[in-house]
Amino acid sequence: METLKPADLKALQFKRLKKTLRAVQHVDFYRQQFEKAGVSATDIKTLEDIPKLPFTRKQDLRDGYPFGFFAVPMQKIVRIHTTSGTTGKPTVVGYTRTDLETWASLIARNMTMIGIGKNDVFQNMVNYGMFTGGLGFHYGAELIGMTVIPSATGNTRRQIEMIRDFGVTAIHCTPSYAMHLSEVAEEMGEPLESLKTGIFGAEPWSDTMRHTLEDRLGVTAFDSYGMSELFGPGVAFECPERDGLHIWHDSYLVEIIDPVSGENLSDGERGELVVTPLVKEAMPLIRYRTGDVTMLMEDGCLCRRGKKIARLTGRSDDMLIIRGINVFPSQIEHVLLRIPEVGNQFMVYIDRINHLDEMTVEVEINRSHFSGELADLAKIQKKVVKELHDTLELRTTVKLVEPGSLPRFEGKAKRVIDRRGEI
């Protein structure tokens, strides 16, 4: 399935797309949207016809709260997850029993692809509540036959003790929490020698951060991509080549669009990822705008698993526009991580002062590179300002703060506070 010939894959995708189009006729939103767009399922005669169909946006799912997007009766829904709902009503996602089996199988594909299996001990350090990351990886790992430790989030010292005591070989968490884990392990004097593999996702992270995590934790680090609306994690994953993420094209139909015009872009052009899941029963979606910025890569992979998406640079709705310049938090992280005089933790504050946007970056000093002299402090500050300006082409204010003084995050890192709308 992972290495289907292009013609066979296209035929399978179209067969599953037609089934999905029949399923969404049970959802009021899609019946109304198709009628408004003057399109019906019979108008879709090839995969190239998909731009005729309307987009689905996150706000549409929120407007359908709680069960407006379910395409099956509630008796067939065996589990419900939700997003955090921090920017409005949460998005509710339902699963049939078949959905859960499909999801576990996709996770198992990812983990098998990177060479971990039944002889591994897997510690899952993400939330096991309504967030999809915990249970998704849990059941995928169990399907493979791994020994699974559902440690969830928090209590970092205990997490480190479990890694040591249980001989953990593979971990899953956010990259920001992995960085915190490495700091605490160093404080405890724990080398974490059993670790071999780190799976990190749920937030964009740079190659610089990858190298830092590998050095500090002694793992090979792999990027994982997913979102609750598309099952959860497991949509795309790096193979051992670690040059882009394989998205499972038998299960997801992928487009890249211009986020402003909505027009489809060619391979190699960066834009917003749009996904039509092809194997979801409870909650099928049509042309879901993820908000994530990536591109379909032009070149094939040595592993022959099919077309990849580039690592995500951020979300179109997380992009900061400061004095007309587009800035992603991951760009700031990339700059800071290559400066040895500062640490791994930072916060970004955006203010509007005298009608102008101003960005302030707070970053912890790396104590091992600081002599305590004020002149050294000023020199480090000047270096950070210059590096940020060279990359972002933007003037920033940099504040150096004490090690350990900035917040640590167990889940997704919230490093940007935009105060421009505050009075």
Side-chain angles (χ1 to χ4, degrees), residues 171-344:
I171 59 172
H172 170 229
C173 60
T174 62
S176 53
Y177 185 66
M179 195 69 78
H180 178 53
L181 186 82
S182 71
E183 291 177 340
V184 177
E186 287 180 9
E187 291 172 7
M188 295 172 64
E190 290 287 354
L192 304 181
E193 293 174 337
S194 64
L195 285 183
K196 297 177 183 176
T197 305
I199 299 170
F200 307 120
E203 60 192 28
W205 52 297
S206 65
D207 274 325
T208 305
M209 192 170 195
R210 184 204 297 275
H211 299 318
T212 302
L213 288 172
E214 290 184 333
D215 288 343
R216 300 185 71 162
L217 292 173
V219 299
T220 302
F222 293 90
D223 196 1
S224 168
Y225 171 74
M227 58 181 3
S228 299
E229 297 89 333
L230 307 178
F231 279 138
V235 177
F237 211 86
E238 287 183 318
C239 72
E241 296 298 320
R242 298 192 298 166
D243 179 23
L245 293 88
H246 288 282
I247 193 161
W248 302 121
H249 294 285
D250 60 295
S251 301
Y252 301 100
L253 195 58
V254 177
E255 303 169 77
I256 304 294
I257 66 165
D258 182 306
V260 177
S261 70
E263 296 295 318
N264 281 65
L265 300 177
S266 301
D267 293 358
E269 293 186 285
R270 195 171 290 275
E272 182 181 351
L273 176 66
V274 173
V275 181
T276 300
L278 300 174
V279 289
K280 292 186 70 181
E281 287 187 343
M283 193 172 153
L285 298 173
I286 300 295
R287 303 191 78 201
Y288 184 67
R289 295 188 61 159
T290 66
D292 292 318
V293 178
T294 184
M295 66 180 177
L296 277 166
M297 298 175 69
E298 297 175 282
D299 297 330
C301 185
L302 293 176
C303 78
R304 300 186 298 112
R305 280 187 176 87
K307 196 170 288 187
K308 297 179 289 189
I309 58 171
R311 295 190 72 206
L312 276 67
T313 55
R315 292 181 53 80
S316 59
D317 53 3
D318 283 348
M319 184 178 72
L320 304 166
I321 302 177
I322 301 169
R323 299 196 292 277
I325 296 175
N326 298 341
V327 177
F328 288 102
S330 56
Q331 291 176 293
I332 299 170
E333 174 202 86
H334 182 74
V335 172
L336 297 177
L337 283 174
R338 69 180 184 227
I339 302 174
E341 293 89 346
V342 297
N344 308 306

Side-chain angles (χ1 to χ4, degrees), residues 341-343 345 362-366 401-406 408:
E341 293 89 346
V342 297
Q345 304 296 332
E362 290 187 353
V363 60
E364 293 182 357
I365 304 167
N366 187 334
V401 299
E402 287 286 317
S405 61
L406 293 179
R408 269 56 174 168

